[in-house]
Each structure stands twice: as structure tokens, then as C-alpha cells.
Amino acid sequence: MTRILSIGEIMMEMSDMGGGLYRKSFAGDTFNMAHYIRLVSGGRIDVDYLTAIGQDTESDDCLKFMQKEGVGTDRVFRDANRTIGLFILSNDPKGEKQYGYWRGQSAARFLFDQPHDLSGYELVYLSGITAAITEQKNNLVQSVSQARHKGGFFAFDLNYRPKLWSITEAEAFADQILPLMGLVKISDEE
């Protein structure tokens, strides 16, 4: 069976339902990719998710959500001192989606405080958001490089967000990571 690893941050999503009511769910760019591959493949592709979450109730709910959706959670690390990030989703008067983010307490930011073994997968996927929030980017690059030299195939979605890091920081990271990628997605704006 094909095995895919997606790396990043899953966040608690609070969607404004109107009247002061919010619906809780969980989402994030790289988690959404993992979830949809699992869904579209009808379970014929195993997808693991590498992230870090807390040991609190919201993180427990998040882990249950991932398991319910069929995304592998063996690579989910639990951090006793942090939790998951939060975003609030609403619409402006024209109906355009508006996002507000709270990431300061996110355990995923510290996922690469040490390198990880990323080998053993047919495809490993990460994004610019994964890189932007990662505190120890050198450990992320080292992990990718080691798995690449073992024959791993990597895909990278630049997904540049100027609120997360400067263009200079993103370009410096891209200079390191792009030579290691087998597939890169960059939008026209990026």
C-alpha cells in the first residue's frame, strides 16, 4: 500500500455561525491535504501526519478527530507545556472569508526542536506554512535532506504567508529546501 507523510500544524477552527455561536473543528493546510488524500483514495492510501499537539482537552479532541478521519496519528507528538493553535473563521459583509490566528502556544512550532526520521514513505509533503512556524528550521532541512538521500520523494507547497515570515526569510529557506524537492507548487502571486 502507498504510504504518504504530511508534516505541519493542525489547528482548532472556530467557524462563526452567527448570533454569537461558533462551530469547532480542526484544520490546517498540510492536514487538509492528508485528510483529502485519505478520503479520495477510499482508504487505499495510508496517510500519516507528523505534528505536535498538547495534552489538554482540545488536543485530545483534535487527536480523536484525526483518527476518526482515518489519518495516521502514530507520528503525533504530545507536548505537556503547549497546546494547538487556534483560528477563527468568519465572513466579511461581501461574503469573503476572514481568518484570525493565534499560534503563540502551538506545540507544532517546536516539532523540529530535534530532527525526525522522514524515511519509509513514497511521498512526504510539507508547506511554507510548516516552515514559517517551525522554530528550528535547520532541523527541518536536515530531516528532509537525510530522508532524500535515502531515496525519499518530497513535495513542497510554498504557500507563502507574509504575516508568518518575511520574504527574505522565505527566500533563504527556499534556497535550502527546493533542491531537495521532487515536486514544488508555487502560485502566480508567489
Side-chain angles (χ1 to χ4, degrees):
M1 180 177 286
T2 301
R3 294 183 69 223
I4 294 175
L5 176 66
S6 188
I7 305 168
E9 177 187 35
I10 185 168
M11 302 178 76
M12 184 168 61
E13 172 188 307
M14 299 298 289
S15 298
D16 187 351
M17 305 304 289
L21 298 176
Y22 288 83
R23 184 185 74 221
K24 179 174 84 172
S25 189
F26 301 94
D29 69 330
T30 57
F31 175 78
N32 294 350
M33 192 284 303
H35 173 246
Y36 289 121
I37 284 182
R38 183 74 178 156
L39 188 66
V40 170
S41 76
R44 293 183 305 274
I45 297 176
D46 280 338
V47 185
D48 289 339
Y49 195 59
L50 175 60
T51 193
I53 59 177
Q55 294 181 0
D56 56 288
T57 302
E58 299 306 334
S59 295
D60 290 344
D61 288 350
C62 179
L63 189 65
K64 290 174 192 168
F65 174 80
M66 287 189 270
Q67 292 166 338
K68 181 178 116 322
E69 296 303 322
V71 175
T73 58
D74 290 344
R75 307 286 310 261
V76 175
F77 291 87
R78 305 296 300 266
D79 185 324
N81 300 312
R82 298 179 180 93
T83 186
I84 57 175
L86 164 72
F87 73 96
I88 295 179
L89 176 61
S90 59
N91 292 313
D92 69 13
K94 294 181 183 179
E96 295 292 321
K97 288 184 179 179
Q98 302 295 307
Y99 299 87
Y101 293 95
W102 290 264
R103 283 192 158 107
Q105 76 289 357
S106 176
R109 294 176 52 221
F110 303 92
L111 178 63
F112 283 92
D113 277 0
Q114 69 277 329
H116 289 276
D117 181 2
L118 306 178
S119 62
Y121 295 91
E122 281 77 18
L123 171 69
V124 179
Y125 173 78
L126 64 148
S127 76
I129 293 174
T130 304
I133 68 161
T134 295
E135 292 292 325
Q136 300 297 325
K137 293 170 182 47
N138 288 337
N139 287 338
L140 172 57
V141 173
Q142 178 185 346
S143 299
V144 170
S145 180
Q146 288 174 349
R148 181 79 166 112
H149 291 325
K150 291 179 183 177
F153 185 84
F154 285 80
F156 181 69
D157 180 354
L158 185 60
N159 207 356
Y160 176 69
R161 297 292 188 262
K163 289 184 178 181
L164 294 178
W165 57 350
S166 71
I167 191 73
T168 304
E169 291 170 309
E171 287 173 346
F173 182 81
D175 287 344
Q176 290 182 294
I177 206 76
L178 291 182
L180 302 171
M181 294 295 121
L183 179 66
V184 177
K185 180 199 169 279
I186 301 175
S187 70
D188 289 339
E189 296 107 23
E190 293 165 336

